[in-house]
Amino acid sequence: MARRVLITGARSVAALELARDFSAAGWEVYLADSAAARMARCSTLPVRLHRHPAPRQQGGAFRQWVRALVEEYCIELVVPTCEEVFHLAAPSLHAWLGDRLMAPSLETLRTLHDKLCFARHCQKAGLPVPESQPIESADQLATYRTTCHERVFKPRFSRFGDRALIAPKAARFAQLRLDPAQPWMAQAYIHGEEACFYAVAHHGQLTAFSAYCSRWRMAGGASYAFEPLDASRHAKLRTLAIQLAASARLHGQFACDAIFDVNERPFLLECNPRATSGVHLLGGAGHLARAMGDGIPAPDTPPTIRYLGPAMWLLGLPTALRHARLARWWRCLRAGRDAVSSPGDRWVLVGALADAAGFALNGLLHQHSTNAATTHDLEWNGEELP
């Protein structure tokens, strides 16, 4: 009988990428989500799609659903892709799933997801991070008005590149308000070039790694085209990923935003302990399935540019025309490959557009952004879970 994997967060392109990879490795793939996940439903992949209760609003029902499905189908591995990872790592469910869950404990996830805790962990582990402090009082906040140093101010729990560089005299500075339920932090601003990496660790050992940059981003900061880094920067970030995996004894997926200063020194900015777009530079041939399921290192082969086709056309083309970057946009399109659709699996584009429309409508109905709508039913902001 084929080995069976449950990939959650089926709304994401990363889940589709992983489904293709596990299928290529001979696994029987089950996809699940609390949203409609029309993109996955439109795929020609031989997968089974299930819908579960919303982890954030129906936590108890979600945990019961996971137990029942894992037992019914004898699932060997559970691979989260979105913020449902935190709900899967709730202490009671994590203890039951054990090594079947491709994620560390909730305590470790908190350390990585909380941007200030992550910076402090890196400092203790000897990993390079910008100077970081919590914003704990109005007096402390006021001191930043008089300093000559630039700072990045950001919520300790946030997503989609949701951070703002605020100069000491900027008008936006006055808009900052302290809220104990949504703590903020200040971080020294480093001038340089941003980069990202995605990695898989198997019981503390790095088994897969990709590093990339992007010149094509949405208004909120999220990228939709992913260009592999040069060999030197790739090697520097890979060394940091190895050290981070070992220091936190990671078992699962993790990804970091980083920046290279003017002297080419890398600094880690924040961490997403889940799948990110870097998965597209590694997936498709079964290497990720073996890296996750068996701890077999994925080969370090030179990847090609990948992009999200619908976003590249709907967002990238207007941006290119507006900023006279049409030649650059065309080169990226010609040199890269679409991460959403693949030969023989083109209907996923229709599903992806339907999903995007659904999240946009949900955002309008609940008076929040489309980005917020994509995580409203599964996000986690540090609250205790049973």
Side-chain angles (χ1 to χ4, degrees):
M1 185 177 69
R3 303 169 76 181
R4 294 175 174 177
V5 61
L6 170 64
I7 301 172
T8 58
R11 70 189 69 186
S12 70
V13 186
L16 188 64
E17 187 75 65
L18 286 168
R20 288 171 177 154
D21 193 271
F22 274 89
S23 292
W27 288 61
E28 190 173 312
V29 178
Y30 295 75
L31 289 169
D33 205 309
S34 52
R38 300 172 187 88
M39 178 178 61
R41 195 174 299 279
C42 289
S43 176
T44 58
L45 284 171
V47 301
R48 300 186 186 185
L49 180 63
H50 299 265
R51 193 161 184 175
H52 57 67
R56 184 182 178 197
Q57 290 82 11
Q58 301 169 279
F62 169 72
R63 290 186 288 274
Q64 290 178 3
W65 182 93
V66 171
R67 283 175 175 255
L69 187 131
V70 168
E71 287 184 338
E72 179 179 357
Y73 294 104
C74 300
I75 299 295
E76 178 179 336
L77 193 65
V78 179
V79 181
T81 62
C82 302
E83 288 196 36
E84 79 283 351
V85 62
F86 303 106
H87 302 276
L88 285 166
S92 59
L93 188 55
H94 187 273
W96 184 79
L97 287 171
D99 284 347
R100 285 176 292 190
L101 178 61
M102 198 61 195
S105 68
L106 186 63
E107 181 181 0
T108 298
L109 290 172
R110 181 191 296 272
T111 298
L112 301 177
H113 187 48
D114 181 328
K115 294 174 175 58
L116 182 62
C117 289
F118 173 68
R120 287 174 170 170
H121 172 85
C122 288
Q123 287 175 333
K124 290 180 181 178
L127 293 163
V129 290
E131 177 190 358
S132 306
Q133 302 93 17
I135 300 177
E136 296 177 327
S137 69
D139 289 342
Q140 181 188 6
L141 187 59
T143 62
Y144 290 115
R145 289 189 169 90
T146 60
T147 181
C148 61
H149 300 293
E150 290 179 310
R151 292 287 190 275
V152 175
F153 296 84
K154 52 191 175 183
R156 288 169 57 176
F157 295 93
S158 60
R159 49 202 57 85
F160 300 116
D162 181 21
R163 65 173 184 266
L165 168 65
I166 304 178
K169 296 182 181 179
R172 290 184 66 188
F173 194 90
Q175 299 173 10
L176 270 180
R177 295 291 182 271
L178 295 181
D179 181 355
Q182 297 179 326
W184 280 61
M185 64 177 288
Q187 194 168 64
Y189 177 69
I190 295 177
H191 291 269
E193 294 185 25
E194 292 189 11
C196 304
F197 72 72
Y198 161 83
V200 175
H202 196 271
H203 297 293
Q205 299 293 318
L206 193 75
T207 55
F209 178 83
S210 67
Y212 61 97
C213 61
S214 179
R215 297 178 177 87
W216 303 96
R217 296 174 179 270
M218 300 178 189
S223 303
Y224 51 87
F226 323 105
E227 182 178 353
L229 291 186
D230 61 60
S232 175
R233 289 186 170 185
H234 181 279
K236 290 177 181 179
L237 291 184
R238 192 176 193 280
T239 297
L240 297 186
I242 291 172
Q243 295 172 346
L244 179 57
S247 66
R249 298 183 60 83
L250 294 180
H251 182 67
Q253 304 169 92
F254 65 104
C256 289
D257 292 342
I259 192 165
F260 287 87
D261 70 8
V262 294
N263 296 312
E264 283 297 301
R265 294 177 301 181
F267 291 82
L268 299 179
L269 301 178
E270 54 192 63
C271 182
N272 293 303
R274 54 175 174 79
T276 61
S277 299
V279 70
H280 302 307
L281 300 176
L282 293 168
H287 300 314
L288 282 171
R290 288 183 280 274
M292 294 182 186
D294 303 307
I296 299 173
D300 198 5
T301 55
T304 59
I305 297 172
R306 301 296 299 275
Y307 53 79
L308 306 182
M312 198 64 180
W313 284 95
L314 297 177
L315 301 176
L317 181 55
T319 298
L321 292 171
R322 190 165 55 249
H323 299 287
R325 297 166 58 188
L326 189 59
R328 178 184 293 179
W329 174 84
W330 182 245
R331 283 196 300 271
C332 182
L333 204 67
R334 290 291 300 274
R337 289 195 299 122
D338 186 11
V340 180
S341 67
S342 63
D345 198 16
R346 300 299 188 188
W347 282 104
V348 293
L349 288 171
V350 177
L353 292 173
D355 282 339
F359 286 124
L361 178 60
N362 183 274
L364 286 173
L365 292 176
H366 294 90
Q367 297 183 332
H368 49 225
S369 70
T370 300
N371 276 345
T374 63
T375 62
H376 177 71
D377 56 335
L378 48 78
E379 68 183 42
W380 181 75
N381 296 299
E383 60 269 20
E384 294 298 325
L385 296 175

